[in-house]
Every structure is written in structure tokens, then in C-alpha cells.
């Protein structure tokens, strides 16, 4: 009988688990939020991931449950565990990914390097933080933000008045997260895989480029990183995975600062945009690795298969027509490019696909990746 993996969430991350699951003979099933989602090929159920009975009914048909996103509520996760479902990652590590204030507190407990931060409940507390940190800071809503949403750079406490008002209207109290505005030279990402029995493997450190808060490009390995930086980033990733008890893929987004520090920015406990390059540039893709990890199977090699790989996101897609009609000219012009699309309709700012190119020369792979992706603008 085939191993059965259930994925909560029908987005592109679940979609990209389907091919390696089929190759391994794993029976992959998806609980999609609505009909016609990106991972519809494997959607065996459609329902609300916030409803415990819906998720429990889905979970009864699989051996292990994992996630396309981190938004499943804690009460639902608790009900799954109480019912004896194997949930990976579990409720405790997911709580850290779900709330940025919890994440900052746990990173402090683990002694991880991170920006100065504070929980602020009103404008006076925010102004005190601004006064102590050069008059500018980053304010974040603790829950729900992604791809740059729920993040503001402010130079006056009044610039967060609407968020404080929303907290007051909620009547449950709460706070915003404020962080020092880090003077960084670039953003990096460290991926780590960990399985329940404790085996851990780190992927090469990568450099990421964001546009409007959305990941636009990834270069693997990070250029000019050096052994010291690579070892430091891998050590951070492993320490976070082990310290939180993460099972599956973990992405640690990092800042490299102008004074040569490495600081944790965000965490993601699932396959991540910064790891899409592994589909065509690593021995084991992050999607296969995630399946191995949550099933507690031996982890695959994380070695790169080429000196350089670039991943370029296709954001928005063409203003007129669909993606498929762009395949032929893109493929003809760039035969080394590997094109991945997500079955999504084009929409401004939406992640609808990505292009990977691997090769020996960094300038060449960056050019080929960007030029191939440009066919889909």
C-alpha cells in the first residue's frame, strides 16, 4: 500500500509536491480551499482549513498531514494531534511561523541573531522605540502578513495609527511588532530539512532579490558568500530547526548587514520561494525533500548539480492572453531555461510561475533566466 500524504492548502507549493510524489509512488492528496486551485490535480477534497471537522475528515484518509501554508488555526492543529494524526510541522513550531511576535521571542530564547525589536501597544511606545533607534523603524502586523503585506517603514508613530485603532476595535488587546531598520547589503535565505527522527540537512545559502516585498530572483549559491558566512548561515538554520522542533522544510530569511552580521528576518516552515531553484539545480528538490522529511524517510542530498542556478519569478503574467502561448517563443530563444507555471490566471503582482536556469557561468545563467522570464511579461 502506498504512503499517503495529505496537504492542507491548494496553492502552487502543493502543486509542486505532486510530481516528486508521483515519482516516489506516494499517494498525495490535497485539501483545497476552492475548486480550480493551483494544486487541483491532486485535490481530493475542497473545504475550509479553519474548520476542525473538515480537516479531521480529510486527515483520516492519509498517513501524515502537512501544509501548503502556515495559516491553519492552533485549535484545529490541536484537534488533529488529539485525534492521533501525524502533523508535520506540529502546532508548536507552526505557532512561531504564525505570529511574528512569538517568533521574535522564541529566537531570543534560542540566542539567535536578529534585529532589535519590541512589542508596542500604542503610539507612545512606538515613538519611544523610534527615538531610541534613529527615528525610523519597521512596523509589522504580527499575523497574516506575507509578500510585503502588513509591513511599513515609519518615521513617526502616527503612521501606524490605523493599525493601533484596529487592535483597539478587536477588543482582545494585542500589540504590533516594531524592529530596527536594518542597514543591510543584501538578503539571503538558508533552507534546512529536518525529519522527526532528527536527521537534518542544509541547502546551499542563496541570495534573494525582493521587489515591492515579493521575491523576484534567487541566485544559488549566494555570490561572494565565503566559507565563514556559509557556515554561519547553515548553523543558524540548523539551530532554528532543532530548537523549534521543525519537521519538513524550513526557510530562514536573513539580512547580511553592512557591518558583516547575519540577522534573522522571517521564517517559513514549508517549501519556500527561495528554494524553487532546487527543482533544476540540486540533487534533491525542496518538494521531494519535504515529502521525505514529513514521512520520516532518509533525506536526500542537498548538493548543487551545477556551479550556479538562478530562479526568476514570473510575476503578474502577460497583460493580454495567457501564459501557454508564450511557451514556444520563450523555449525557442532560451533552450536551457526550465519553465514552471502554476495553472493560475495572470493578475498584476501575482506569482504565476518561475524560470530556472543552471550552468557554469553566473552572468550567462542570470541573463538566460531574466530573458526567458521576460517573455511572460
Amino acid at each position: 500500500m502506498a504512503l499517503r500524504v495529505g496537504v492542507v492548502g491548494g496553492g502552487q507549493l502543493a502543486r509542486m509536491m505532486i510530481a516528486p510524489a508521483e515519482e516516489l509512488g506516494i499517494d498525495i492528496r490535497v485539501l483545497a480551499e476552492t475548486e480550480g486551485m493551483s494544486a487541483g490535480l491532486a485535490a481530493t477534497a475542497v473545504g475550509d482549513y479553519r474548520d476542525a471537522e473538515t480537516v479531521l475528515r480529510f486527515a483520516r484518509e492519509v498517513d501524515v498531514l502537512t501544509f501548503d501554508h502556515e495559516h491553519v488555526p492552533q485549535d484545529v492543529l490541536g484537534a488533529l494531534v488529539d485525534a492521533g494524526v501525524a502533523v508535520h510541522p506540529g502546532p508548536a513550531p507552526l505557532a512561531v511561523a504564525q505570529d511574528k511576535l512569538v517568533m521574535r521571542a522564541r529566537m531570543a530564547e534560542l540566542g539567535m541573531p536578529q534585529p532589535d525589536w519590541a512589542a508596542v501597544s500604542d503610539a507612545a511606545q512606538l515613538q519611544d522605540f523610534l527615538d531610541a533607534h534613529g527615528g525610523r523603524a519597521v512596523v509589522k502586523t504580527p499575523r497574516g502578513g506575507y509578500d510585503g503585506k502588513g509591513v511599513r517603514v515609519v518615521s513617526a508613530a502616527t503612521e501606524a495609527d490605523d493599525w493601533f485603532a484596529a487592535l483597539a476595535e478587536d477588543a482582545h488587546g494585542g500589540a504590533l511588532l516594531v524592529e530596527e531598520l536594518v542597514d543591510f547589503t543584501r538578503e539571503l535565505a538558508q533552507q534546512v530539512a529536518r525529519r522527526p527522527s532528527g536527521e537534518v540537512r542544509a541547502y546551499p545559502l542563496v541570495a534573494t532579490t525582493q521587489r515591492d516585498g515579493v521575491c523576484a530572483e534567487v541566485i544559488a549559491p549566494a555570490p561572494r558568500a565565503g566559507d565563514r558566512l556559509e557556515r554561519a548561515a547553515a548553523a543558524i538554520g540548523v539551530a532554528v530547526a532543532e530548537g523549534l522542533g521543525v519537521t519538513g522544510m524550513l526557510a530562514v530569511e536573513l539580512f547580511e548587514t553592512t557591518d558583516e552580521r547575519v540577522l534573522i528576518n522571517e521564517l517559513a516552515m514549508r517549501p519556500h520561494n527561495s528554494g524553487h531553484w532546487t527543482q533544476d539545480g540540486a540533487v534533491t528538490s525542496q518538494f521531494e525533500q519535504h515529502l521525505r522529511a514529513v514521512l520520516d524517510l532518509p533525506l536526500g542530498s542537498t548538493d548543487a548539480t551545477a556551479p550556479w542556478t538562478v530562479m526568476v519569478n514570473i510575476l503578474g503574467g502577460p497583460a493580454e492572453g495567457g501564459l501557454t502561448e508564450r511557451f514556444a517563443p520563450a523555449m525557442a530563444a532560451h533552450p536551457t531555461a526550465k519553465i514552471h507555471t502554476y495553472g493560475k490566471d495572470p493578475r498584476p503582482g501575482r506569482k504565476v510561475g518561475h524560470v530556472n536556469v543552471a550552468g557554469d557561468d553566473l552572468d550567462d545563467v542570470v541573463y538566460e533566466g531574466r530573458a526567458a522570464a521576460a517573455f511572460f511579461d
Side-chain angles (χ1 to χ4, degrees):
M1 183 176 176
L3 295 168
R4 301 168 301 173
V5 175
V7 184
V8 177
Q12 67 260 24
L13 300 180
R15 179 191 181 95
M16 286 183 274
M17 293 183 209
I18 297 172
E22 291 292 326
E23 290 168 357
L24 289 168
I26 293 169
D27 180 1
I28 186 168
R29 306 179 183 193
V30 171
L31 173 61
E33 292 89 331
T34 60
E35 298 282 356
M37 292 192 70
S38 188
L41 289 168
T44 57
V46 175
D48 187 352
Y49 63 81
R50 297 165 297 185
D51 178 68
E53 186 49 47
T54 296
V55 183
L56 279 165
R57 187 165 53 248
F58 173 72
R60 291 189 188 105
E61 302 299 320
V62 300
D63 299 309
V64 62
L65 198 70
T66 190
F67 309 95
D68 170 85
H69 56 73
E70 293 111 336
H71 306 311
V72 178
Q74 282 291 310
D75 62 337
V76 175
L77 295 170
L80 290 164
V81 172
D82 290 344
V85 177
V87 179
H88 297 297
L94 279 173
V96 177
Q98 290 172 343
D99 191 303
K100 294 180 177 65
L101 283 169
V102 174
M103 185 268 286
R104 287 296 179 211
R106 287 291 285 124
M107 291 303 95
E109 290 172 5
L110 293 174
M112 294 293 100
Q114 58 181 344
D116 286 344
W117 65 280
V120 291
S121 299
D122 55 41
Q125 292 178 351
L126 176 55
Q127 191 61 54
D128 288 344
F129 189 92
L130 286 167
D131 293 343
H133 292 82
R136 298 185 76 206
V138 179
V139 179
K140 299 179 179 180
T141 54
R143 303 179 69 88
Y146 66 97
D147 286 347
K149 299 176 178 66
V151 178
R152 291 179 188 168
V153 177
V154 303
S155 54
T158 53
E159 293 176 60
D161 278 352
D162 56 333
W163 284 354
F164 285 123
L167 287 176
E169 290 171 8
D170 189 47
H172 294 296
L176 301 176
L177 171 64
V178 59
E179 300 173 351
E180 67 169 304
L181 187 61
V182 175
D183 189 9
F184 63 90
T185 56
R186 60 177 172 172
E187 294 183 71
L188 305 167
Q190 178 64 61
Q191 282 197 300
V192 171
R194 180 178 180 272
R195 63 183 180 125
S197 57
E199 184 188 7
V200 180
R201 284 185 181 264
Y203 279 86
L205 180 68
V206 303
T208 66
T209 301
Q210 320 296 316
R211 294 199 190 101
D212 299 323
V214 179
C215 180
E217 189 172 292
V218 174
I219 296 175
R224 308 175 308 281
D227 289 344
R228 185 185 68 84
L229 177 56
E230 289 173 354
R231 286 196 303 270
I236 289 169
V238 170
V240 172
E242 293 181 335
L244 298 180
V246 176
T247 47
M249 288 299 305
L250 166 72
V252 184
E253 298 179 58
L254 301 162
F255 293 127
E256 183 181 15
T257 69
T258 54
D259 57 357
E260 299 186 337
R261 293 179 297 156
V262 181
L263 304 176
I264 294 174
N265 178 25
E266 304 273 3
L267 303 178
M269 295 174 195
R270 50 175 168 74
H272 189 256
N273 206 160
S274 65
H276 291 354
W277 70 275
T278 61
Q279 289 175 296
D280 302 296
V283 174
T284 311
S285 80
Q286 65 166 344
F287 301 102
E288 177 184 339
Q289 196 80 288
H290 187 73
L291 293 170
R292 288 183 182 224
V294 300
L295 287 166
D296 206 15
L297 295 171
L299 300 179
S301 169
T302 55
D303 291 344
T305 55
W308 300 102
T309 303
V310 65
M311 187 286 305
V312 181
N313 266 335
I314 300 170
L315 298 173
E320 296 183 4
L323 293 170
T324 54
E325 61 198 60
R326 309 294 179 97
F327 284 168
M331 290 172 175
H334 303 283
T336 61
K338 304 290 284 185
I339 300 166
H340 302 264
T341 58
Y342 306 155
K344 293 181 173 182
D345 293 329
R347 189 174 70 203
R350 191 182 204 188
K351 294 178 184 175
V352 294
H354 65 273
V355 172
N356 288 333
V357 179
D360 296 329
D361 183 86
L362 176 58
D363 289 341
D364 284 348
V365 298
V366 169
Y367 166 76
E368 292 289 333
R370 291 173 179 172
F375 274 85
F376 298 92
D377 290 343

